[in-house]
């Protein structure tokens, strides 16, 4: 179902054949981590019927001149689901400025960027006619050791909640498509 990222394939081919700069090494390591996260996420997708769901993997997009990496885009007849996978661990909280921080108060992720990402996708994913499908962005924390210490954010999904969320997507895709018989 999923194909390996083309850039990662090139890096893997060149690894140990050419010297990498520090930036290239960091990018290669980041792509390897993303590949592992996508492989794990794909295992969850195998537990649901993908009959009425289209899947697009690893897209690199630019928002305000900075790179954002969207790992998975699920499309149903009535909704777009954007999943950004992370392997963060430890205690975190969202500060009053909507920044995800570690317990030691280090900024990890600017959650305000999710609105910019949403706006960018909204501008590109124009549906025909008057209906615009909703776009839902979720940061999926693929590490069991990730915890939220303060107020929860609906932007996050844990590995624990992921199967239920994907099952709900599967169920809504079946319900919304009138040509598909209900499972029985």
């Amino acid at each position: 179902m999923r194909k390996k990222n083309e850039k990662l394939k090139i890096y893997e081919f060149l690894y140990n054949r050419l010297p990498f700069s520090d930036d290239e090494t960091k990018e290669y390591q980041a792509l390897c981590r993303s590949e592992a996260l996508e492989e794990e996420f794909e295992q969850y997708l195998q537990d649901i019927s993908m009959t009425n769901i289209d899947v697009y993997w690893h897209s690199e997009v630019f928002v305000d001149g900075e790179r954002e990496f969207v790992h998975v885009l699920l499309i149903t007849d009535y909704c777009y689901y954007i999943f950004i996978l992370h392997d963060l661990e430890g205690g975190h909280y969202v500060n009053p400025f909507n920044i995800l921080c570690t317990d030691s108060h280090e900024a990890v992720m600017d959650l305000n960027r999710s609105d910019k990402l949403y706006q960018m996708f909204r501008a590109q994913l124009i549906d025909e006619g008057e209906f615009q499908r909703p776009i839902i962005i979720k940061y999926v924390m693929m590490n069991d050791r990730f915890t939220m210490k303060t107020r929860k954010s609906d932007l996050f999904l844990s590995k624990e909640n992921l199967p239920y969320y994907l099952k709900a997507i599967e169920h809504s895709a079946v319900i919304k498509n009138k040509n598909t018989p209900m499972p029985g």
Side-chain angles (χ1 to χ4, degrees), residues 46-62:
Q46 292 175 0
D47 293 337
I48 65 170
S49 169
M50 300 300 288
T51 306
N52 298 313
I53 303 171
D54 293 324
V55 181
Y56 296 91
W57 292 93
H58 44 251
S59 300
E60 193 172 340
V61 295
F62 287 90

Side-chain angles (χ1 to χ4, degrees), residues 3 8 49 53 64 111 113 153-154 157 176 180:
K3 294 180 183 174
L8 178 58
S49 169
I53 303 171
D64 289 345
L111 300 176
R113 290 187 56 77
S153 172
D154 62 348
L157 268 180
K176 301 295 183 187
T180 304

Side-chain angles (χ1 to χ4, degrees), residues 3 8 22 33 41 52 54 58 62 65 70 78 89 106-107 118 142 162:
K3 294 180 183 174
L8 178 58
D22 287 342
R33 285 191 304 273
F41 189 90
N52 298 313
D54 293 324
H58 44 251
F62 287 90
V70 173
Y78 286 85
E89 65 179 62
E106 284 183 56
Y118 169 85
M142 300 296 288
L162 184 57

Side-chain angles (χ1 to χ4, degrees), residues 17-36:
R17 288 181 173 88
L18 293 174
F20 282 8
S21 69
D22 287 342
D23 287 342
E24 290 169 331
T25 301
K26 287 177 187 174
E27 185 174 24
Y28 172 60
Q29 291 169 344
L31 287 170
C32 287
R33 285 191 304 273
S34 290
E35 177 70 13

Side-chain angles (χ1 to χ4, degrees), residues 44 139-144 146 155-165:
Y44 287 94
Y139 294 98
V140 184
M141 298 303 158
M142 300 296 288
N143 191 322
D144 291 327
F146 175 84
L155 283 174
F156 294 103
L157 268 180
S158 66
K159 271 177 54 173
E160 180 182 24
N161 296 332
L162 184 57
Y164 304 107
Y165 195 81

